[in-house]
Amino acid sequence: MKKIISAYIVTCLLFCFFNNNLFSQEQTPPRTTRQLTKYERMFPQIMYGDNIYQKGSNWFNIGFGKGYCTNYKKENVNLSLTYHHRYKALFFRGGWHFSGPVIFLKRPMEQLNDFHIGGGIRFEDRWYNFAFFIGPSFASTWIPKEDNPNITTIYAQLGAHTELQFTFKYFYDMGIGTSLYGSFNKRYQVVGIQLHFYFSNAFVRKY
């Protein structure tokens, strides 16, 4: 009988000991986490498939297409390279744009090269990226002389560059789209359309 009572007391003590440990673990406050900043809440990380992506990421466009020089009444071809960067909640960009009657590898006597910066707005989702930018440019124009088209005069002047982008993202960080642009300065005004390829650094890691 004494052995039974002793075993009962030991069992009760063990039960109380483990029950108290479990209870104390349940009452332990959860591990604190870092508070998200305002911009991290505005541009959170999201998951698609097995990958985690960062919203509001930077991106790079390569574009080429057709244009029209309004002051010389000529069709142009164009090429552009543009980098877009987010700082907090603002979007900026810097890039280079070429326009001329023929592609620049043929060394046309008439051409426009502008180096532009600007600010803008952006809206993105899983399948699309929409953006509008405007800003100043530094334009270098090659203009043939009227009396001798084989001789060109190179001018440098300030101008403006604006662009409207529509991108379909077949992957979250890669896509293809259309750009409508205008480049304006004192000697060479051109508007046009481009096919562009979109590359962003949105990928963070595998889930």
Side-chain angles (χ1 to χ4, degrees), residues 68-75 110 143-144 187-189:
Y68 184 74
C69 180
T70 59
N71 51 332
Y72 288 99
K73 312 300 182 185
K74 290 182 180 180
E75 288 189 1
E110 174 186 325
I143 309 297
R187 294 180 173 85
Y188 209 94
Q189 318 284 340

Side-chain angles (χ1 to χ4, degrees), residues 176-187:
I176 188 171
T178 300
S179 299
L180 303 175
Y181 76 91
S183 181
F184 310 101
N185 59 76
K186 182 179 179 180
R187 294 180 173 85

Side-chain angles (χ1 to χ4, degrees), residues 123-190:
F123 303 97
E124 67 166 332
D125 203 343
R126 164 61 186 90
W127 297 105
Y128 72 86
N129 186 74
F130 168 81
F132 172 76
F133 286 89
I134 188 170
S137 67
F138 176 79
S140 171
T141 54
W142 297 20
I143 309 297
K145 290 184 176 293
E146 294 184 1
D147 56 348
N148 189 350
N150 295 320
I151 300 177
T152 62
T153 303
I154 300 177
Y155 300 93
Q157 61 268 305
L158 296 178
H161 191 101
T162 184
E163 187 171 335
L164 186 65
Q165 302 175 6
F166 304 89
T167 305
F168 170 72
K169 300 193 296 185
Y170 47 88
F171 299 118
Y172 191 88
D173 53 353
M174 295 178 63
I176 188 171
T178 300
S179 299
L180 303 175
Y181 76 91
S183 181
F184 310 101
N185 59 76
K186 182 179 179 180
R187 294 180 173 85
Y188 209 94
Q189 318 284 340
V190 62

Side-chain angles (χ1 to χ4, degrees), residues 34-44 54 86 88:
R34 180 177 65 86
Q35 291 292 324
L36 296 177
T37 67
K38 176 175 67 174
Y39 306 109
E40 287 174 330
R41 292 193 298 271
M42 291 176 64
F43 304 102
Q54 175 68 56
R86 177 174 67 86
K88 295 184 177 181

